[in-house]
Amino acid sequence: MHKNLINGQWLDGAAVSRNINPSDTRDLIGEYAQADAAQADLAIAAATAAFPAWSLSTPQQRFDILDAVGSEILARRAELGDLLAREEGKTLPEAIGEVVRAGNIFKFFAGEALRPGGESLPSVRPGVGVEITREAVGVVGLITPWNFPIAIPAWKIAPALAWGNCIVFKPADLVPGSAWALAEILSRSGLPAGVFNLVMGRGSVVGEKLLNDPRIAAVSFTGSVATGQKVAAACVARMAKFQLEMGGKNPMVVLDDADLGVAVNAAVNSGFFSTGQRCTASSRLIVTDGIHDRFVAAMVEKMKTLKVDDARKAGTDIGPVVDASQLGQDIDYLGIAQAEGGRLAHGGARLEHNADGAPGFYLTPALITDTTPEMRINREEVFGPVVSVIRARDYEHALALANDTPFGLAAGIATTSLKHATHFKRHSQAGMVMVNLPTAGVDYHVPFGGRKGSSYGPREQGRYAAEFYTTVKTAYTQA
């Protein structure tokens, strides 16, 4: 039994959830405690009590703790990566890469704890000095999704601690293993009791408590648009600070002058790696007339080489979908796309078993051509290995199609034209733009986030994370 961590103690929950391996549904990874509202209340109370002292802790103390956590994560990358691949379904190399990212995030924010910054300015009035400083917000509620079960918790937890906040952390029900392992490391890091609390449980119970309790000063959420809107409404109602990272329907534009190999590799990586379960995945490929047919043919040939199998098996390119519900959604959208006139050019087959005969949630990567912008496959996020192709007349048409979406997280372009690349970087209505690179895969030391329906509030990661996890104070002193 994996218990919740509240006020420095490991506590049983009111119920239990079972963590199942999507590569082999016979494999039970473990049982994890499910908190009720009373336990969530205990965690909030513990964080509230710990905040006055922790918010005044020294930068050195916070550095030492965060740096040690990062070092342990990196030292255990193989073990933690295996757990992540086993519970979430991304391939083992991808999972280890995510663990490394998490470790590096903790080390980056360890450094940030030593660089709080601030300004000292002369007043417009004689004999008066002005100081501008940042202080911790208070107790923060962190709600994370299942698709990056250690990296996303890391990029919320590390900056929150670096700037002196206390935490109540609710990970996704579906993949609690990596979150629990991270919490176990934090429990031994030297953090005072109550500074960090792990409360696993249902969103309708634990999540609701975090949204509505006045002791929670800020909520950082990554997940679906529908839930994000609920977070926003609840926080606005009580004037709490909130930060949302939600969906994407990310375009990749492929122009006639693109290097075909570069374009195909970027599109396959963006659309299908991590089983397409990334908010930054390129699910819309917008391809100009002159290269369209060659690009589609090359995509199909490349997709034929992709091996769908157990996430932890050497040589696997695409692991399973995370669970039966998500698999059903992926298959439903394949049907919707074809009913609306799209053509299934390759893939989209449900595989009941992997190569060793183990039952799992497998789907071969699917490419749908002959689609138009108004089709649901091009408007709604699928969140699986399902990619559509839209034909464009020229660059200007492709840019317009790329921006024709309620989302704005990431966008990519494959081109050898400096003119078009430069124009696209400026005029793409996305928070992150990639040129001749996959749209999925970003650095940990720079800001992450989008615009329109994809994101709300300050950016995550890098130094920009301070905007959410701190509040600014301006102080005047008469000399």
Side-chain angles (χ1 to χ4, degrees), residues 18 23 62 79 110 120-121 125 173 179 195 202 211-212 239 274 280 290 300 313 319 325 327 340 396 402 414 421 423:
R18 292 162 56 85
S23 291
R62 298 196 296 272
E79 170 202 348
S120 178
L121 303 172
R125 294 167 288 173
D173 286 344
V195 170
R202 302 295 300 170
L211 297 185
N212 296 305
M239 300 299 289
S274 297
T280 51
V300 170
K313 184 185 295 185
S325 176
L327 177 62
E340 291 186 337
E396 288 73 20
H423 189 273

Side-chain angles (χ1 to χ4, degrees), residues 69-225:
V69 170
S71 293
E72 181 169 346
I73 291 170
L74 292 173
R76 295 172 58 189
R77 67 186 70 185
E79 170 202 348
L80 295 172
D82 185 80
L83 171 62
L84 198 161
R86 186 180 172 201
E87 72 168 348
E88 192 271 343
K90 55 171 56 83
T91 65
L92 187 57
E94 291 174 321
I96 292 173
E98 181 179 336
V99 171
V100 170
R101 179 189 181 92
N104 286 334
I105 287 168
F106 272 94
K107 284 188 166 290
F108 174 86
F109 284 108
E112 289 300 282
L114 296 174
R115 297 185 288 268
E119 296 179 78
S120 178
L121 303 172
S123 170
V124 296
R125 294 167 288 173
V128 176
V130 182
E131 296 171 299
I132 304 169
T133 55
R134 289 186 179 272
E135 297 180 1
V137 171
V139 178
V140 296
L142 306 180
I143 304 173
T144 60
W146 52 260
N147 62 323
F148 283 89
I150 196 167
I152 292 180
W155 79 53
K156 295 182 188 293
I157 293 167
L161 294 175
W163 285 301
N165 299 281
C166 292
I167 295 169
V168 180
F169 169 44
K170 194 207 95 60
D173 286 344
L174 197 56
V175 287
S178 294
W180 189 91
L182 177 56
E184 196 277 330
I185 293 172
L186 285 160
S187 74
R188 295 183 284 98
S189 66
L191 283 172
V195 170
F196 171 83
N197 302 272
L198 169 70
V199 187
M200 300 176 289
R202 302 295 300 170
S204 58
V205 178
V206 176
E208 284 292 322
K209 184 65 176 175
L210 296 181
L211 297 185
N212 296 305
D213 195 297
R215 294 169 293 179
I216 298 289
V219 177
S220 179
F221 167 83
T222 301
S224 71
V225 173

Side-chain angles (χ1 to χ4, degrees), residues 136-383:
V137 171
V139 178
V140 296
L142 306 180
I143 304 173
T144 60
W146 52 260
N147 62 323
F148 283 89
I150 196 167
I152 292 180
W155 79 53
K156 295 182 188 293
I157 293 167
L161 294 175
W163 285 301
N165 299 281
C166 292
I167 295 169
V168 180
F169 169 44
K170 194 207 95 60
D173 286 344
L174 197 56
V175 287
S178 294
W180 189 91
L182 177 56
E184 196 277 330
I185 293 172
L186 285 160
S187 74
R188 295 183 284 98
S189 66
L191 283 172
V195 170
F196 171 83
N197 302 272
L198 169 70
V199 187
M200 300 176 289
R202 302 295 300 170
S204 58
V205 178
V206 176
E208 284 292 322
K209 184 65 176 175
L210 296 181
L211 297 185
N212 296 305
D213 195 297
R215 294 169 293 179
I216 298 289
V219 177
S220 179
F221 167 83
T222 301
S224 71
V225 173
T227 304
Q229 291 170 342
K230 293 178 183 178
V231 172
C235 290
V236 166
R238 61 182 185 87
M239 300 299 289
K241 198 172 187 180
F242 65 98
Q243 174 186 58
L244 308 176
E245 288 296 340
M246 300 174 288
K249 197 65 188 172
N250 308 298
M252 172 165 283
V253 170
V254 180
L255 298 184
D256 289 353
D257 63 14
D259 180 301
L260 186 60
V262 168
V264 168
N265 286 335
V268 168
N269 181 310
S270 297
F272 302 128
F273 284 13
S274 297
T275 323
Q277 297 172 153
R278 300 184 284 193
C279 56
T280 51
S282 293
S283 53
R284 293 185 299 141
L285 305 178
I286 300 169
V287 188
T288 50
D289 279 329
I291 199 173
H292 178 278
D293 293 351
R294 288 186 294 125
F295 174 79
V296 169
M299 281 288 293
V300 170
E301 289 305 308
K302 180 69 173 179
M303 291 169 68
K304 290 177 180 177
T305 69
L306 299 177
K307 183 179 180 183
V308 179
D309 206 343
D310 189 303
R312 296 186 291 165
K313 184 185 295 185
T316 296
D317 297 301
I318 310 292
V321 176
V322 71
D323 72 348
S325 176
Q326 184 62 50
L327 177 62
Q329 177 172 301
D330 297 345
I331 293 171
D332 285 347
Y333 271 102
L334 288 172
I336 291 167
Q338 292 175 85
E340 291 186 337
R343 181 178 70 88
L344 185 60
H346 187 74
R350 165 73 168 106
L351 305 179
E352 299 287 344
H353 303 85
N354 63 26
D356 296 324
F361 304 121
Y362 297 100
L363 181 69
T364 60
L367 186 69
I368 303 170
T369 60
D370 301 337
T371 74
T372 53
E374 73 280 359
M375 290 180 179
R376 288 179 62 188
I377 194 68
N378 291 320
R379 309 303 299 176
E380 301 168 12
E381 186 175 40
V382 179
F383 219 66

